[in-house]
């Protein structure tokens, strides 16, 4: 009675699908199609049963299930009419709704499709047969895919004996899918190594320890004795004593044995959650087995713990040592982003910008960065410098809601203009380059959106421009010296020359031919301090 109520409750939680299911009996199928049992299968089943349950109880349950299955098969009604097959298909659908393993659910859908197919043209039987045959296939494909991914996640995070056991069973449940059998074998191998490292042999261990002590007292510890004793003690899980015997020993493969011992110690510490101690052991293994990868894995777990306690600086240190383990790169971006948020909350916008530049492709970092940039700009005064986009700029002027910025670096990818004839600022090559190539290469779209349109000539507006002669004279004292030649935008159209600033800061209004490659530009722009503009 309790089992029937539980089944009805599970069916009630499952969304109903076509056709509307009347109250019907539920057909129960085995979770997995029966497979021929080999001797190895039986031995394995008994080992699992004996580990978790009483074997006699398991056999009694199996016997009762076989008897019940035989009785049910004998009482199974014969299907003769299309209505019989249709009703049977509806019953299989009801079973599918409360099936848990995806293989079992797929089997139910297949059985339902078969029944609807044999119902001929009754009602919507042909459509249902096609629908649930496809559903069975989809359920199986998606189920194997999701189960494989879940098993891989278990394997990646497996540390303890129980973790490796669960990962192995997860792969065994999807045996035959991709490399699931190979993954199961790897997990079982790791499990066996943990078992071997803990194999008890108390009497023999005590005898060996006694021999070691006697040898130490009488001074008769030969290299052979120490090596053989260390090897035996290591196989019994007494790595610390074995390590003591091997210390300073140069005999046969004693170095290899020492590495093996440290490796096993690292595994034990890792299983205990003592990741720092485990790292120390793995790092002293000198490349034994996968010790380097395991050390990186431990650093990753330490980073996760540090992030949980909001110690992002420590997390970054650990992630740097974790290499490319799992999603370390993503966590690094998260750490810098979180540090930037904390810095912004405390008003340290300069530090926030530093972290945001390192979290450049993390979701949300671009929006946060230009908020930090505008907040930082509002704190600066004329003559101060800051990085905006990819380059450093000097703040020349400041109003209530905007600032004028000038690049510290020179832009030399193009002369003022390719030719000297009939050139104007509006049609100059350098103006076009600053507002296209330069802008796209050095700023994000969000940063460009904060640049104001500035009238640089009658009827001509630009976001990025060269300073004019009058602007240079107004801000000369705050921009600092520049040991180079750089253009101003004023020019003489008749002679094809433009004004420029000499290396010592002297204003040269007489100008120089605009097609000269010896003089470069310095980008300037007005920037809004309102991030909502």
């Amino acid at each position: 009675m309790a089992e029937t109520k539980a089944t009805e409750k599970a069916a009630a939680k499952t969304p109903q699908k076509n056709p509307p299911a009347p109250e019907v009996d539920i057909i129960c199928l085995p979770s997995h199609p029966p497979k021929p049992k080999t001797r190895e299968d039986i031995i394995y089943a008994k080992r699992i049963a004996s580990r978790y349950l009483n074997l006699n109880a398991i056999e009694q349950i199996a016997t009762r299930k076989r008897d019940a299955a035989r009785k049910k098969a004998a009482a199974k009604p014969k299907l003769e009419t299309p209505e019989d097959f249709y009703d049977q298909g509806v019953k299989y659908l009801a079973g599918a709704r409360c099936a848990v393993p995806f293989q079992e659910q797929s089997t139910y859908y297949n059985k339902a499709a078969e029944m609807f197919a044999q119902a001929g043209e009754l009602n919507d039987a042909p459509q249902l047969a096609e629908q649930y045959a496809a559903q069975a296939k989809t359920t199986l494909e998606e189920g194997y895919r999701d189960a494989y991914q879940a098993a891989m996640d278990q394997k990646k995070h497996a540390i303890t004996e129980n973790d490796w056991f669960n990962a192995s069973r997860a792969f065994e449940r999807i045996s035959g899918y991709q490399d699931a059998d190979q993954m199961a074998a790897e997990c079982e191998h790791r499990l066996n190594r943990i078992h071997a490292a803990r194999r008890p042999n108390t009497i023999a261990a005590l005898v060996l320890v006694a021999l070691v002590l006697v040898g130490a007292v009488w001074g008769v510890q030969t290299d052979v004795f120490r090596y053989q004793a260390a090897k035996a003690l290591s196989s019994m899980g007494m790595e610390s004593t074995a390590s003591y015997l091997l210390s300073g020993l140069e005999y046969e493969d004693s170095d290899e044995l020492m590495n093996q011992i440290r490796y096993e110690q690292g595994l034990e510490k890792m299983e205990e959650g003592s990741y720092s101690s485990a790292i120390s052991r793995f790092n002293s293994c000198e490349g034994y087995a996968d010790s380097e990868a395991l050390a990186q894995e431990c650093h990753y777990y330490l980073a996760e713990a540090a992030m949980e306690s909001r110690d992002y600086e420590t997390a970054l240190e650990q992630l740097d040592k974790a290499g490319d383990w799992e999603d370390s790169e993503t966590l690094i971006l998260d750490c810098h982003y979180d540090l930037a948020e904390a810095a912004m909350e405390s008003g340290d916008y300069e530090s926030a910008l530093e972290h945001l530049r390192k979290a450049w492709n993390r979701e949300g970092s671009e929006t946060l960065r230009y908020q930090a940039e505008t907040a930082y700009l509002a704190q600066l005064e004329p003559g101060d410098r800051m990085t905006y986009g990819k380059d450093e700029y000097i703040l020349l002027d400041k109003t209530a809601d905007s600032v004028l910025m000038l690049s510290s670096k020179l832009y030399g990818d193009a002369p003022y203009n390719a030719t000297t004839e009939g050139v104007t600022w509006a049609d100059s090559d350098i103006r076009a380059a600053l507002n296209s190539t330069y802008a796209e290469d050095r700023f994000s779209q969000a940063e460009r959106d904060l640049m104001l349109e500035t009238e640089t000539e009658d009827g001509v507006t630009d976001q990025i421009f060269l300073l004019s002669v009058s602007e240079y004279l107004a801000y000369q004292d705050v921009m600092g010296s520049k040991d180079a030649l750089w253009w101003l935008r004023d020019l003489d159209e008749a002679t094809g020359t433009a004004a420029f600033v000499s290396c010592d800061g002297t204003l040269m209004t007489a100008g120089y031919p605009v097609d000269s490659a010896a003089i470069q530009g310095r980008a300037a722009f007005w920037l809004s301090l309102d991030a909502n503009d």
Side-chain angles (χ1 to χ4, degrees), residues 369-445:
R369 187 179 72 191
Y370 76 73
Q371 290 174 352
E373 285 172 334
T374 53
Y376 184 48
L377 280 167
Q379 295 179 337
L380 299 182
E381 297 297 332
D384 290 338
R385 300 174 180 235
M386 72 162 285
T387 298
Y388 190 78
K390 296 181 180 179
D391 300 317
E392 183 186 67
Y393 292 85
I394 305 167
L395 191 151
L396 299 183
D397 197 0
K398 185 177 182 180
T399 68
D401 56 5
S402 62
V403 291
L404 175 62
M405 310 295 290
L406 176 68
S407 172
S408 296
K409 295 181 179 179
L410 298 176
Y411 179 66
D413 289 356
Y416 193 109
N417 200 64
T419 63
T420 60
E421 297 178 2
V423 62
T424 64
W425 165 252
D427 60 10
S428 65
D429 293 335
I430 197 166
R431 173 179 178 262
L434 287 173
N435 287 278
S436 57
T437 307
Y438 182 88
E440 292 165 4
D441 287 349
R442 286 165 167 78
F443 307 103
S444 68
Q445 186 58 54

Side-chain angles (χ1 to χ4, degrees), residues 335-398:
C335 283
H336 282 298
Y337 185 87
D338 291 337
L339 284 168
E341 281 190 320
M344 287 192 68
E345 289 176 4
S346 63
D348 187 0
Y349 302 113
E350 186 174 11
S351 295
L353 287 170
E354 182 180 347
H355 287 296
L356 286 168
R357 279 190 285 273
K358 297 175 182 177
W360 63 276
N361 60 343
R362 198 266 196 195
E363 184 179 357
S365 62
E366 184 173 298
T367 300
L368 191 63
R369 187 179 72 191
Y370 76 73
Q371 290 174 352
E373 285 172 334
T374 53
Y376 184 48
L377 280 167
Q379 295 179 337
L380 299 182
E381 297 297 332
D384 290 338
R385 300 174 180 235
M386 72 162 285
T387 298
Y388 190 78
K390 296 181 180 179
D391 300 317
E392 183 186 67
Y393 292 85
I394 305 167
L395 191 151
L396 299 183
D397 197 0
K398 185 177 182 180

